[in-house]
Amino acid sequence: VKPYRLVYWPGIPGRAEYVRLVLEEAQAPYVDTAQLPESEGGGVPAVMAALRGELGGVRPYAPPILQHGATVISQTANLCRYVGRRHDLWPADPALDPVALGLQLTVADLVKEAHDTHHPISGELYHEQQEDAALEAARSFRTKRMPKFLRWFERVLADNGGNWIVGDAVSAVDLALFQTIEGLRYAFPRGARAVERETPGLVDLHDRVAARPNVAAYLASDRRQPFNEDGLFRRYPALDE
Amino acid sequence: VKPYRLVYWPGIPGRAEYVRLVLEEAQAPYVDTAQLPESEGGGVPAVMAALRGELGGVRPYAPPILQHGATVISQTANLCRYVGRRHDLWPADPALDPVALGLQLTVADLVKEAHDTHHPISGELYHEQQEDAALEAARSFRTKRMPKFLRWFERVLADNGGNWIVGDAVSAVDLALFQTIEGLRYAFPRGARAVERETPGLVDLHDRVAARPNVAAYLASDRRQPFNEDGLFRRYPALDE
């Protein structure tokens, strides 16, 4: 297996965490530039070089960026699908490929909305410049959007038999649901708990993903980074009240 | 060719327009429920039935929804890729598939940000309930985000030789860029014009897409719906000032 190179900002799990989980569950060889010192080709300069197109291929718009041989691609869901397909973490049935992609993209939509609660006006401004709007956005997210998304995933999971979200085996989409539940619990401890009472199947899925040996080993390693207030999921207590 | 069934809200071009353009350029047979009266299985009830899972397959989260034989899928970029692959409107080289998908998803990100200028706090509230935040969001979008995205697409287009955004032929991604430029011109006439001075390649791409016989015939037909203030791209003059 050719090694993968994952290029992302250092210091936050962020969107790259979705790709890391697929790589780790697959036990695929990969270099994570976010965890490499600059002296070894990592850190912020690795991101900047990738954004300048120095990896070849189509210049990426934003990280996470994945290099695999001559392939250089971006967009988180795209990366999860790409790695998943190569390591039995994506439905093998071609008819399920666009179904799985639809689900993976719907997880991405939920994640984007969770992010936008702390940056509702613009990602170009600091959170502190949009706190009032963030309070309103978070209220809508906690009481309407997050429940709507999670109840829907609960229903899809039940319709598929309750084990995995798509197909008959674990896939990148299940790993993404695990990470999203982790993030929602971090950002909205009260709000997430309230919704989880209605989504026991998703909570069970989360726990079964966490208990998988490769995932468990990863979570216990120093490669797993904690959430913090520079990332996708941020704990601002006012946004969870 | 099995006919496609596209399920979407009536009365707006919306995200379905991205899929319609691929179907029209491909001259693929399709039923557009948004254009069918309720008495013939169209309209809002068709969307509600699809969201209840009545088309079979995985219950969709949101329209646009595409049915094609036993396949029922959602997520706009996913639909564009699905139709595109079947009608030579997607790069045939497997190595370019994730590259094209990354580009298609980046168009979707730009479109989502354009939408969120009029609904920055929440899609669950009316625009009129978030007008102040919308003014700020639109300013950031017009002056920072839209230019950043369009300059990047201009660069990618130039890197690819200037004809098409990916591969050596027109693809769903080019059609999506056309529609996005149309939408940005509608929503932000001043803002879009200002950026377009810097992106002549994209303007030329837009014009070449519009002049393709199948696209031109579609644009001149009554199947092409005008933008309006219920859709994705809305003209609120205050947001363009």
Side-chain angles (χ1 to χ4, degrees), chain A residues 126-200:
Chain A
Y126 291 107
H127 166 66
E128 290 68 24
Q129 294 173 287
Q130 45 195 314
E131 280 184 329
D132 291 345
L135 285 175
E136 276 193 85
R139 188 177 310 120
S140 177
F141 179 77
R142 278 186 288 104
T143 61
K144 297 197 172 108
R145 305 296 292 176
M146 173 168 64
K148 186 177 169 187
F149 274 107
L150 293 182
R151 284 175 196 140
W152 177 79
F153 279 115
E154 177 80 6
R155 190 72 183 264
V156 171
L157 179 62
D159 288 348
N160 196 44
N163 276 330
W164 308 113
I165 197 77
V166 61
D168 55 9
V170 66
S171 73
V173 191
D174 298 296
L175 304 179
L177 283 168
F178 160 79
Q179 176 64 12
T180 302
I181 290 170
E182 288 281 292
L184 293 172
R185 286 178 178 177
Y186 178 79
F188 306 103
R190 289 179 64 241
R193 201 183 320 128
V195 184
E196 285 185 14
R197 283 187 207 108
E198 299 175 56
T199 60

Side-chain angles (χ1 to χ4, degrees), chain A residues 58-61 75 78 81 97-99 101-102 105-106 109 121-122 124 133 137 140 145 149 152 155 159, chain B residues 58-61 75 78 81 97-99 101-102 105-106 109 121-122 124 133 136-137 140 145 149 152 155 159:
Chain A
V58 170
R59 171 192 311 268
Y61 181 75
Q75 287 285 349
N78 193 29
R81 173 177 175 271
D97 174 48
V99 175
L101 181 57
L105 289 170
T106 307
D109 282 351
I121 304 286
S122 175
E124 301 286 332
S140 177
R145 305 296 292 176
F149 274 107
W152 177 79
R155 190 72 183 264
D159 288 348
Chain B
V58 169
R59 169 192 312 271
Y61 181 76
Q75 286 284 349
N78 193 29
R81 172 177 175 272
D97 173 49
V99 175
L101 182 57
L105 289 170
T106 308
D109 282 350
I121 304 285
S122 174
E124 303 286 333
E136 275 192 87
S140 176
R145 304 295 293 177
F149 274 107
W152 176 78
R155 190 74 184 263
D159 288 348

Side-chain angles (χ1 to χ4, degrees), chain B residues 3-227:
Chain B
Y4 296 89
R5 185 177 185 85
L6 179 64
V7 181
Y8 197 66
W9 304 115
I12 55 171
R15 287 189 167 86
E17 199 64 14
Y18 290 87
V19 190
R20 288 188 191 104
L21 281 162
V22 188
L23 291 162
E24 292 279 349
E25 171 63 21
Q27 294 284 286
Y30 74 103
V31 171
D32 184 349
T33 67
Q35 309 258 19
L36 278 186
E38 294 187 14
S39 61
E40 294 173 30
V44 171
V47 176
M48 302 314 289
L51 293 177
R52 285 193 302 269
E54 294 179 14
L55 298 177
V58 169
R59 169 192 312 271
Y61 181 76
I65 296 154
L66 188 74
Q67 179 180 36
H68 184 230
T71 298
V72 179
I73 55 176
S74 59
Q75 286 284 349
T76 309
N78 193 29
L79 271 48
C80 292
R81 172 177 175 272
Y82 182 91
V83 178
R85 288 182 67 206
R86 276 156 188 77
H87 301 275
D88 292 326
L89 289 169
W90 197 258
D93 178 357
L96 284 182
D97 173 49
V99 175
L101 182 57
L103 290 165
Q104 186 84 44
L105 289 170
T106 308
V107 178
D109 282 350
L110 165 55
V111 169
K112 165 81 172 144
E113 292 200 19
H115 167 275
D116 287 356
T117 59
H118 51 77
H119 279 75
I121 304 285
S122 174
E124 303 286 333
L125 302 170
Y126 291 106
H127 166 66
E128 290 69 22
Q129 295 172 287
Q130 45 195 312
E131 279 183 329
D132 291 345
L135 285 175
E136 275 192 87
R139 187 177 312 119
S140 176
F141 179 77
R142 278 187 287 102
T143 61
K144 298 199 171 108
R145 304 295 293 177
M146 174 167 64
K148 184 177 168 187
F149 274 107
L150 293 182
R151 284 175 197 142
W152 176 78
F153 279 115
E154 177 80 7
R155 190 74 184 263
V156 171
L157 179 62
D159 288 348
N160 195 44
N163 275 330
W164 308 112
I165 197 77
V166 59
D168 55 9
V170 66
S171 73
V173 190
D174 298 295
L175 304 179
L177 283 168
F178 160 79
Q179 176 64 11
T180 301
I181 290 169
E182 287 282 290
L184 293 172
R185 286 178 178 178
Y186 177 78
F188 306 102
R190 289 179 64 242
R193 201 183 320 126
V195 184
E196 284 184 16
R197 282 187 209 108
E198 298 175 57
T199 60
L202 285 180
V203 172
D204 180 60
L205 173 68
H206 165 278
D207 296 349
R208 285 181 290 113
V209 168
R212 294 178 69 82
N214 294 348
V215 172
Y218 168 62
L219 297 180
S221 76
D222 58 9
R223 299 189 300 287
R224 174 73 169 181
Q225 301 169 71
F227 293 110

